Amino acid sequence: MELKREYANGMNEQGDFDPSSPPPFRIADIRAAIPKQCWIKNPWRSMSYVFRDVSVVFALAAAAVYCNSWLFWPIYWFAQGTMFWAVFVLGHDCGHGSFSDNAILNSVVGHILHSSILVPYHGWRISHRTHHQNHGNVEKDESWVPMPENIYKKLDTSTRLLRFTVPFPLFAFPVYLWYRSPGKEGSHFNPYSNLFSPQERKLVMISTACWSTMAIILAYVSFTVGPSHMFKLYGIPYLIFVIWLDLVTYLHHHGHEQKLPWYRGKEWSYLRGGLTTVDRDYGLFNNIHHDIGTHVIHHLFPQIPHYHLVEATKAAKPVIGKFYWEPKKSGAVPFHLIKNLITSLAQDHYVSNSGDIVFYQTDLNLFQLLSLAKYE
């Protein structure tokens, strides 16, 4: 009886926890454990975060223009890039509908926030919805999906090095918006891309038009104040924002000390896929970027507002048990995550072409090249 109970709680026949085993609970059990107040969306509270973040963005820009000092510019670049990332997270909440119950408010705020940082709101929202609906599915997931071995083997050595060598993957987001990932086709700007249904084309056109308007505004301001000054004021913070986005989204699905499964076919379910996501502690940045590190509950229930995620996670952990991967406690700055990133990129290269439960495998030749580069 004891052995049967252990196996039902994710233990294999040897008594070790198996993260790929079917969980002994249902998603309804997790939902029932989350307090009712965690599901309540307060648009005034959501808007207060928008006002906070936008105010900081303008204050930083004003300070940079006023100081115009090389002592201040590096501080500004990091701080402003971090705030661009915080703005993105709020637009992301609009896309999930966790910002408010008002679809028009969500769309208007989402377009303003995302267009300001050159993200096509509906184009990205729709592909991100696909990611959530298929998280952990090798064949259908959308974000940082592992390549099957046959696709990986078609990449030349230089492409492999670019994809798996820091810092190059941390600048992948703009390329992804235009071309998606290896093995996938389409663009977040093209309404006729296979990312979108015919009913969604008008929405994508609107977002692409908003993105284009922002690009024109930036070009005009650049012409007015000079491209060098505009690059310092907007361009470098944008690159810092992209680094934040790629770092956080990658580490929420990769880099755990224990290799986690990916699924195909009948072995995949919404719950099992969601349980392969990983929470992260970002130290003092947790509050700045709206607790995006509480990622497991967000993936399972994206309609929960970000300001309730910590409480919801705490309530759900007793139900999830060992299927919840407790994040390593961070200092003020999450330097510990750099090791997770580098180790994962050096080892997590592709998955098997077959099998309904698969784990990342390592290209030993690439691993040796990356190891040599690290010590040169």
Side-chain angles (χ1 to χ4, degrees):
M1 189 70 177
E2 182 67 17
L3 287 175
K4 185 176 181 180
R5 185 171 70 250
E6 285 190 339
Y7 187 77
N9 280 280
M11 310 297 283
N12 61 23
E13 294 179 353
Q14 287 73 42
D16 300 319
F17 177 70
D18 180 4
S20 67
S21 62
F25 49 84
R26 303 166 302 159
I27 195 166
D29 299 323
I30 305 175
R31 183 188 296 272
I34 297 174
K36 291 181 179 180
Q37 65 267 22
C38 291
W39 304 92
I40 298 174
K41 307 165 192 176
N42 184 334
W44 293 106
R45 184 172 181 180
S46 295
M47 285 301 301
S48 74
Y49 289 106
V50 173
F51 291 133
R52 182 194 79 174
D53 289 1
V54 172
S55 297
V56 174
V57 166
F58 278 100
L60 285 170
V65 171
Y66 177 78
C67 295
N68 195 20
S69 165
W70 283 106
L71 291 175
F72 184 71
W73 279 117
I75 299 171
Y76 167 78
W77 292 332
F78 180 77
Q80 191 70 295
T82 301
M83 290 312 302
F84 281 14
W85 166 235
V87 165
F88 173 88
V89 174
L90 293 177
H92 151 276
D93 288 358
C94 291
H96 279 302
S98 61
F99 189 85
S100 78
D101 286 319
N102 188 315
I104 295 177
L105 178 64
N106 293 340
S107 183
V108 171
V109 174
H111 271 98
I112 293 172
L113 296 179
H114 273 191
S115 297
S116 72
I117 50 175
L118 295 177
V119 176
Y121 174 70
H122 279 309
W124 181 85
R125 175 187 66 80
I126 293 166
S127 75
H128 189 63
R129 180 190 64 198
T130 301
H131 165 55
H132 269 258
Q133 291 173 341
N134 299 280
H135 45 211
N137 190 315
V138 175
E139 298 170 325
K140 298 179 180 179
D141 201 344
E142 178 62 30
S143 178
W144 294 112
V145 191
M147 285 180 283
E149 185 175 7
N150 61 331
I151 294 177
Y152 177 84
K153 296 296 185 184
K154 294 177 182 178
L155 303 179
D156 56 47
T157 302
S158 60
T159 302
R160 296 180 193 180
L161 285 170
L162 282 172
R163 183 173 173 83
F164 296 103
T165 305
V166 175
F168 302 113
L170 299 179
F171 297 98
F173 182 63
V175 179
Y176 165 72
L177 288 178
W178 285 100
Y179 303 106
R180 295 179 75 193
S181 304
K184 296 180 180 290
E185 297 179 350
S187 168
H188 290 75
F189 300 93
N190 181 2
Y192 294 93
S193 167
N194 57 15
L195 273 167
F196 314 118
S197 68
Q199 295 76 23
E200 294 167 333
R201 287 172 183 166
K202 183 178 179 180
L203 298 175
V204 176
M205 289 179 185
I206 293 171
S207 295
T208 300
C210 291
W211 185 96
S212 300
T213 301
M214 183 62 188
I216 292 170
I217 292 172
L218 291 173
Y220 174 77
V221 176
S222 180
F223 179 80
T224 304
V225 304
S228 176
H229 198 64
M230 193 61 183
F231 184 67
K232 290 188 294 183
L233 201 60
Y234 185 92
I236 296 178
Y238 172 78
L239 293 176
I240 299 297
F241 148 63
V242 168
I243 290 173
W244 266 116
L245 188 150
D246 284 324
L247 173 71
V248 170
T249 55
Y250 182 87
L251 288 177
H252 282 162
H253 300 276
H254 298 76
H256 194 269
E257 287 75 8
Q258 179 173 351
K259 283 190 178 293
L260 300 180
W262 287 77
Y263 300 101
R264 290 189 182 98
K266 60 182 175 55
E267 290 292 346
W268 181 86
S269 70
Y270 183 81
L271 175 58
R272 293 178 79 179
L275 293 175
T276 66
T277 61
V278 180
D279 279 9
R280 298 291 187 183
D281 183 3
Y282 298 99
L284 64 86
F285 298 100
N286 286 330
N287 178 264
I288 295 172
H289 61 206
H290 310 294
D291 290 314
I292 195 66
T294 48
H295 208 64
V296 177
I297 291 302
H298 165 66
H299 248 270
L300 292 174
F301 307 107
Q303 63 271 40
I304 294 179
H306 74 264
Y307 42 82
H308 292 318
L309 285 173
V310 172
E311 181 183 2
T313 298
K314 184 177 179 180
K317 281 165 62 175
V319 177
I320 301 175
K322 290 187 176 181
F323 287 88
Y324 177 79
W325 308 97
E326 193 73 41
K328 183 177 180 180
K329 192 69 177 174
S330 175
V333 180
F335 290 119
H336 68 286
L337 295 178
I338 297 174
K339 180 181 178 181
N340 294 88
L341 174 70
I342 294 174
T343 300
S344 177
L345 288 172
Q347 298 179 357
D348 300 337
H349 298 147
Y350 60 86
V351 296
S352 172
N353 296 326
S354 60
D356 287 347
I357 301 177
V358 294
F359 294 81
Y360 266 111
Q361 299 180 39
T362 303
D363 177 349
L364 294 178
N365 291 328
L366 181 64
F367 178 78
Q368 291 172 354
L369 285 173
L370 294 173
S371 298
L372 288 172
K374 183 169 65 173
Y375 292 107
E376 284 183 355

